[in-house]
Amino acid sequence: FQTFEGDLKWDHNDITYRVLNYSPDLDGDIIEDAFRRAFKVWSDVSPLTFTQIYSGEADIMILFGSDDHGDPYPFDGKDGLLAHAYPPGEGVQGDAHFDDDEFWTLGTGVVVKTRFGNANGAVCQFPFKFNGRSYSSCTSEGRTDGLLWCSTTTDYDKDKKYGFCPSELLYTYGGNSDGDKCVFPFIFDGESYDACTKEGRSDGYRWCATTDNFDKDKKYGFCPNRDTAVIGGNSQGDPCVFPFVFLEKTYNSCTSNGRDDRRLWCATTSNYDTDRKWGFCPDQGYSLFLVAAHEFGHAIGLEHSTVRDALMYPMYSYIEDFQLHSDDIEGVQYLYGSGTGPHPSPPMPTTESPDVSDKTTTTVTTSPTTTTEVVPVDPTTDACKVKAFDAITEIEGQLHFFKDGKYWKASSARPGAIKGPLKISDTWPALPSVIDTAFEDLLTKKIFFFSGRRFWVYTGTTVLGPRGLEKLGIGKDVEKIVGSLQRGRGKVLLFNGDKYWRLDVKTQVVDKGYPRDTEDAFAGVPINAHDVFLYKENIHFCKDQFYWRMTPRRQVDQVGYVKYDILNCP
Amino acid sequence: APLQSQPQVRVTFPGELVSSISDDELAESYLERFGYISKRSRSNTHVSISKALLQMQKKLGLNETGELDQSTMEAMKTPRCGVPDVGN
């Protein structure tokens, strides 16, 4: 392995990263997951941690761009240079850039994540069978609205599992329209457009207006690439048009005719001979995960390795079951040490452990040679010493923080003033000590408490319950409800991590069509959040001592500490 | 399969980056881009290219011939990271 001259490295281990934009080739969730996994490659073998932030300057800023993309090192079109990254430091240092003239996949061809349908966002399975015919790409067959769909199993006829494919007719990404679909035709600069366009931009990204008049409304988004979008040529990102005419012959699929390099291409209008618009058909593409893991190696201080099988070797090659090479591990550990590995375990006390059933322990070493003394600490006397609360919710305008039979109240009008601890049993005698989530129904002022598979409803001092979750229509496989979110008009969303339900508070039954996948509707928050609550109109997802704040338009705009930023602890 | 082979027509596609540079020019550009030769020392002399090729072949684990052989040319055409191999 090699390090940069002067052993450039970060002076802190808690590295932050921010994804500035996304490639049209892959769904945003898949891109973020690839980056998460790429960082994990390094955090598993070092003391480094990587946390995604959504605003401000991160240590590692990640962007997709092509050709001249804002630094002195332009990319070079398809193939050739795939990405580059800078060694640790301020400003552009530490940043990673990916060439968006490449076709980004997970290394084995187009990845089409579906939306809507009945497959919970699963990816398309190609080829799939529909009405006895085999399909190798998304199709609008069987529909009258022209929307592209695919089967998420190999046999739609048998399994009936499907979802809709990326299309500007369904949604956009980025821009300022919160994912709204394109509106066609739309007016831009006085001209009418019937399709996504690159006009008005110098970066080659295809966009559309999400109202009928961009000049007036200024609302826009970027068009996701269809699974048949071409790479390179003179129509990057435009979909193939089938059938197309080439040298007076009609083609219904990609062809290598006209070329002597056997590469498949298609026309992006119905007639190549007249329009001469074309591009290469999607190939295996490059694994964003593998390339990102390599670039992040640079971003933490590693240069290119001379070991051919090492991740830090400069040439790209696809590996199905990736494992970090010992040369890479030696490199990162040379800079940062070995860390605790992927599954750190708590330190073992050297004397007999006291009863820690309801307390955590602090280990105090009085001198290097004496026996270690274990001092129990009860964090529940001070809200600022609680690492993670069981539940947080707003009741009668005050935030309530629940933990192990106690709770605290904090007024948003007087930041820093915390009242408590108070005993849960003094205020709500029927409740158990651990509350998973709670919410106040804004219409009736009833307070719902959830613990395990049971729930209680308090109206003043009158209580109903406990009753089982099955009464709400929630299946027996659900262990508990960890979060709740008032949605107005007597509806509340109930979360158990990766799934959520919509509860009709009046009928006390969840609505049809639920559960749904949390990550589909609330992108960018941890799906294993242990608490979800509404505060000042924003949605908060908690994990450990952190929270992810999501605006009513479902954009994560802040990640912070519950203790410092919500409780206002010193 | 077609019963009789048809003459293959080769078309020049608009916008395609048709490489008109020679292997030597491509090699020099590669060696310069990835830090094996500096712009100043790019004097087209066979000696400096040969030395840089040796360095590149060693760095990338290729046969160290100092010549622009087929495996070296293939390596230069393989997709890769844009960070230089040598220098800053």
Side-chain angles (χ1 to χ4, degrees), chain A residues 299-478:
Chain A
I300 59 175
L302 293 177
E303 268 239 44
H304 284 146
S305 168
T306 56
V307 177
R308 204 181 264 250
D309 291 333
L311 175 64
M312 293 314 295
Y313 190 71
M315 314 305 205
Y316 173 87
S317 61
Y318 176 70
I319 302 153
E320 192 173 346
D321 297 312
F322 171 79
Q323 279 201 317
L324 195 58
H325 193 278
S326 57
D327 180 70
D328 303 305
I329 296 172
E330 282 169 34
V332 68
Q333 294 187 348
Y334 166 79
L335 289 173
Y336 297 98
S338 60
T340 52
H343 303 294
S345 51
M348 297 298 290
T350 53
T351 57
E352 193 178 340
S353 190
D355 177 11
V356 292
S357 58
D358 200 24
K359 298 175 176 68
T360 57
T361 59
T362 299
T363 306
V364 180
T365 308
T366 51
S367 82
T369 53
T370 57
T371 315
T372 307
E373 183 190 351
V374 180
V375 181
V377 173
D378 182 358
T380 59
T381 57
D382 182 353
C384 290
K385 288 185 178 161
V386 176
K387 191 186 170 207
F389 291 97
D390 294 338
I392 304 173
T393 190
E394 194 169 10
I395 299 172
E396 294 176 345
Q398 286 189 301
L399 268 185
H400 286 55
F401 300 80
F402 293 87
K403 180 73 178 179
D404 292 343
K406 297 187 175 72
Y407 71 99
W408 291 261
K409 294 199 279 189
S411 167
S412 55
R414 292 173 56 221
I418 305 166
K419 190 178 172 189
L422 306 165
K423 280 187 176 174
I424 293 175
S425 57
D426 286 349
T427 316
W428 300 287
L431 300 183
S433 58
V434 175
I435 303 299
D436 295 330
T437 189
F439 69 87
E440 182 183 40
D441 177 35
L442 302 175
L443 289 176
T444 62
K445 300 298 175 190
K446 288 179 179 177
I447 308 171
F448 288 66
F449 294 94
F450 292 80
S451 179
R453 281 200 50 85
R454 297 179 300 166
F455 73 99
W456 294 256
V457 184
Y458 263 92
T459 312
T461 55
T462 310
V463 64
L464 256 175
R467 285 186 288 169
L469 291 182
E470 64 276 6
K471 295 283 183 195
L472 302 177
I474 294 175
K476 288 188 174 167
D477 56 323
V478 178

Side-chain angles (χ1 to χ4, degrees), chain A residues 5 80-83 85 234 258-260 265 272 276 278 286 294-295 298 304 306 308 313-316, chain B residues 8-14 16 30 33-34 59-62 75 79-85 87-88:
Chain A
E5 199 176 303
L81 305 179
L82 306 181
N234 57 4
R259 307 187 59 84
D260 51 16
W265 69 277
Y272 175 84
R276 295 171 63 79
W278 71 285
Y286 295 110
H294 175 100
E295 297 308 329
H298 289 312
H304 284 146
T306 56
R308 204 181 264 250
Y313 190 71
M315 314 305 205
Y316 173 87
Chain B
Q8 179 72 31
V9 181
R10 197 197 181 287
V11 172
T12 301
F13 287 86
E16 189 169 12
Y30 185 98
R33 183 194 286 270
F34 297 109
K59 191 96 180 173
L60 300 183
L62 306 171
R80 59 162 289 164
C81 170
V83 173
D85 298 330
N88 293 311

